[in-house]
């Protein structure tokens, strides 16, 4: 129960569902089927490995389809007042597809939105064959809403970012000459969980020497050696939200080339951070990083995007990269959380990446993962 001096607060899902209904109406749909699990959690706060939510354009239609494993959890959410208003539980006793068709056929709805990015061709065809309703593919309706975090979400991510940044110092002690990448990654995973995270956000990257020239290398049995550049990319999950950061260290002593690469990447990150202000296109942030690297003749060594959104998933909107023909340009707005992570990768020699998480504010950005960014020597 809320404290006596605190007013009752509506479930976070109420506002989220209301905004989603506006999008549903704007697209001439009668309902939207939400099956992507992060979207399901965002709207209902239900943590599940399966489930479907049917959000109708009218406020009376909000059906959550789950199997017996989650009936009690849903009932508890409703009883505690944490579920969005009007949520009704529909038990799935056979397949989810069968239950969905049965529910849709019972509703006063004809045009049904389906999440195109998260629906297999097989499920789409099955649904089309068994209902006379019009199925309409939709793109990122919930994801675009999730792109701007609310106060509670930002609060969680601030705590998570500070916690992750606090691991940089102890992390350096496990990066030592002669240890394998896998051993170092295992120790970092223990640090992440031991610090209070629910789990790691993804497979920790430890890439040393020539392997550091591979942006998404997997830890191997290679042993760290003197003068190796080592990229450490790690993250954690706190209250279902992901944070992610990278640092590059050197074993023993840095070579002049290693120092040059690291300085160039640091300048690129600072340039991108300076460009990240409300009202600016995300491509301008990406361009700022590339322009800085170009001044060091390293533009061709930077092949990935400058950043990606963070939240319930480790890669979500906004995508901080070059403009794309298949996606609308995103303009930065307060509440957006994303990484800024320029890098350079020289085959046979190694690579450098510096990554931090930031949140857009009214005036610019706040860095959520503030920790040393120099080329640490271990």
């Amino acid at each position: 129960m809320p404290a006596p001096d605190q007013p009752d607060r509506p479930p976070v899902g109420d506002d989220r569902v209301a905004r989603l209904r506006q999008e549903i109406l704007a697209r001439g749909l009668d309902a939207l089927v939400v099956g992507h699990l992060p979207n399901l959690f965002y709207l209902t706060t239900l943590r599940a490995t399966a489930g479907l939510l049917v959000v109708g354009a009218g406020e009376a239609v909000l059906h959550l389809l789950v199997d017996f494993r989650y009936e009690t959890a849903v009932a508890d959410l409703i009883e505690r007042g944490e579920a969005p208003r009007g949520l009704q539980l529909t038990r799935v006793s056979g397949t989810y597809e069968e239950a969905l068709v049965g529910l849709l056929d019972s509703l006063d709805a004809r045009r049904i939105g389906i999440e195109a990015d998260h629906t297999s061709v097989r499920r789409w065809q099955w649904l089309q064959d068994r209902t006379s309703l019009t199925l309409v593919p939709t793109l990122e309706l919930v994801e675009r809403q999730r792109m701007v975090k609310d106060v509670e979400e930002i609060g969680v991510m601030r705590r998570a970012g500070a916690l992750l940044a606090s691991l940089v110092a102890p992390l350096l002690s496990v990066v030592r000459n002669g240890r394998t990448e896998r051993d170092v990654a295992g120790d970092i995973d223990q640090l992440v969980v031991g610090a209070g995270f629910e789990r790691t956000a993804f497979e920790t990257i430890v890439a040393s020497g020539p392997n550091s020239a591979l942006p998404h290398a997997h830890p191997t049995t290679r042993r760290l050696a003197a003068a190796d550049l080592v990229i450490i990319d790690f993250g954690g999950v706190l209250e279902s939200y992901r944070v992610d950061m990278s640092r590059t260290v050197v074993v023993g002593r840095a070579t002049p080339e290693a120092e040059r690469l690291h300085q160039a990447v640091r300048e690129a990150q600072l340039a991108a951070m300076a460009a990240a202000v409300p009202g600016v296109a995300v491509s301008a942030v990406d361009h700022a990083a590339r322009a800085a690297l170009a001044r060091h003749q390293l533009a061709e060594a930077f092949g990935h995007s400058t950043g990606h959104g963070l939240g319930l998933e480790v890669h979500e909107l906004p995508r901080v990269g070059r403009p794309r023909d298949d996606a609308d340009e995103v303009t930065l707005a307060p509440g957006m959380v994303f990484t800024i992570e320029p890098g350079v990768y020289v085959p046979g020699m190694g690579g450098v990446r510096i990554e931090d998480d930031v949140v857009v504010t009214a005036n610019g950005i706040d860095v959520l993962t503030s920790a040393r960014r120099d080329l640490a020597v271990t």
Side-chain angles (χ1 to χ4, degrees), residues 215-365:
H216 277 186
H218 298 278
T220 71
T221 57
R222 183 185 185 278
R223 294 188 181 278
L224 278 59
D228 274 354
L229 283 168
V230 185
I231 292 178
I232 310 293
D233 191 340
F234 64 111
V237 181
L238 185 69
E239 297 180 29
S240 297
Y241 285 82
R242 275 79 172 156
V243 285
D244 171 17
M245 68 185 299
S246 300
R247 291 293 185 265
T248 302
V249 302
V250 66
V251 179
R253 187 176 65 178
T255 65
E257 180 64 4
E259 291 177 342
R260 184 181 81 88
L261 296 180
H262 192 274
Q263 180 61 30
V265 172
R266 182 66 185 119
E267 289 179 18
Q269 191 193 42
L270 288 173
M273 287 179 170
V277 296
V280 166
V282 291
S283 61
V285 179
D286 180 82
H287 175 74
R290 295 185 192 282
L293 291 174
R295 290 193 289 271
H296 291 270
Q297 289 75 52
L298 288 169
E300 297 303 316
F302 179 30
H304 57 73
S305 298
T306 295
H308 57 84
L310 281 170
L312 294 174
E313 297 177 273
V314 76
H315 288 92
E316 58 181 53
L317 297 177
R319 305 177 186 93
V320 185
R322 296 184 175 101
R324 289 169 41 170
D325 293 336
D326 63 342
D328 294 335
E329 181 79 284
V330 171
T331 299
L332 293 184
M336 291 183 178
V337 179
F338 54 91
T339 68
I340 295 182
E341 51 177 305
V344 295
Y345 309 93
V346 181
M349 184 266 178
V352 172
R353 181 165 66 251
I354 308 173
E355 174 186 23
D356 284 291
D357 306 341
V358 304
V359 58
V360 181
T361 67
N363 302 314
I365 58 168

Side-chain angles (χ1 to χ4, degrees), residues 27-345:
R27 285 161 176 77
L29 301 173
D30 297 313
L32 173 71
V33 178
V34 177
H36 187 44
L37 295 177
N39 291 343
L40 188 69
F41 174 84
Y42 178 76
L43 296 169
T44 68
T45 70
L46 175 68
R47 292 181 174 88
T49 59
L52 294 171
L53 182 69
V54 178
V55 183
E59 291 190 11
V61 186
L62 186 61
H63 295 277
L64 181 57
L65 289 75
V66 293
D67 58 70
F68 75 97
R69 295 173 296 172
Y70 304 109
E71 283 186 88
T72 300
V74 174
D76 288 346
L77 287 175
I78 294 173
E79 183 178 353
R80 294 196 303 266
E82 297 175 7
R85 286 175 296 179
L87 185 70
Q88 297 181 26
L89 187 153
T90 298
R91 181 177 181 180
V92 176
S93 56
T95 69
Y96 274 86
E97 289 82 3
E98 291 168 338
L100 178 61
V101 167
L103 175 64
L104 292 177
D105 285 343
S106 72
L107 302 178
D108 183 19
R110 300 304 304 168
R111 288 174 54 82
I112 309 299
I114 304 291
E115 295 178 305
D117 287 333
H118 311 296
T119 303
S120 68
V121 174
R122 180 177 182 179
R123 172 176 275 190
W124 179 277
Q125 291 178 332
W126 194 97
L127 293 173
Q128 276 197 321
D129 290 344
R130 286 162 177 79
T131 181
S132 60
L133 301 175
T134 301
L135 304 182
V136 181
T138 65
L139 293 174
E140 301 174 338
L141 294 192
V142 183
E143 287 87 345
R144 284 188 167 269
Q145 194 171 313
R146 285 169 44 198
M147 183 166 56
V148 178
K149 272 58 179 179
D150 59 32
V151 173
E152 288 77 12
E153 291 177 297
I154 293 172
V156 172
M157 299 196 73
R158 284 187 184 278
R159 296 197 304 274
L163 188 59
L164 196 67
S166 72
L167 298 180
V168 170
L171 176 154
L172 295 176
S173 67
V174 305
V175 183
R176 298 193 302 273
N177 194 337
R179 303 200 70 206
T180 70
E181 294 172 346
R182 288 181 184 172
D183 288 341
V184 174
D187 286 348
I188 293 171
D189 291 347
Q190 290 182 22
L191 286 171
V192 169
V193 175
F197 286 100
E198 298 161 25
R199 59 188 180 280
T200 59
F202 49 87
E203 181 188 33
T204 296
I205 295 174
V206 177
S208 64
N211 291 345
S212 63
L214 307 173
H216 277 186
H218 298 278
T220 71
T221 57
R222 183 185 185 278
R223 294 188 181 278
L224 278 59
D228 274 354
L229 283 168
V230 185
I231 292 178
I232 310 293
D233 191 340
F234 64 111
V237 181
L238 185 69
E239 297 180 29
S240 297
Y241 285 82
R242 275 79 172 156
V243 285
D244 171 17
M245 68 185 299
S246 300
R247 291 293 185 265
T248 302
V249 302
V250 66
V251 179
R253 187 176 65 178
T255 65
E257 180 64 4
E259 291 177 342
R260 184 181 81 88
L261 296 180
H262 192 274
Q263 180 61 30
V265 172
R266 182 66 185 119
E267 289 179 18
Q269 191 193 42
L270 288 173
M273 287 179 170
V277 296
V280 166
V282 291
S283 61
V285 179
D286 180 82
H287 175 74
R290 295 185 192 282
L293 291 174
R295 290 193 289 271
H296 291 270
Q297 289 75 52
L298 288 169
E300 297 303 316
F302 179 30
H304 57 73
S305 298
T306 295
H308 57 84
L310 281 170
L312 294 174
E313 297 177 273
V314 76
H315 288 92
E316 58 181 53
L317 297 177
R319 305 177 186 93
V320 185
R322 296 184 175 101
R324 289 169 41 170
D325 293 336
D326 63 342
D328 294 335
E329 181 79 284
V330 171
T331 299
L332 293 184
M336 291 183 178
V337 179
F338 54 91
T339 68
I340 295 182
E341 51 177 305
V344 295
Y345 309 93

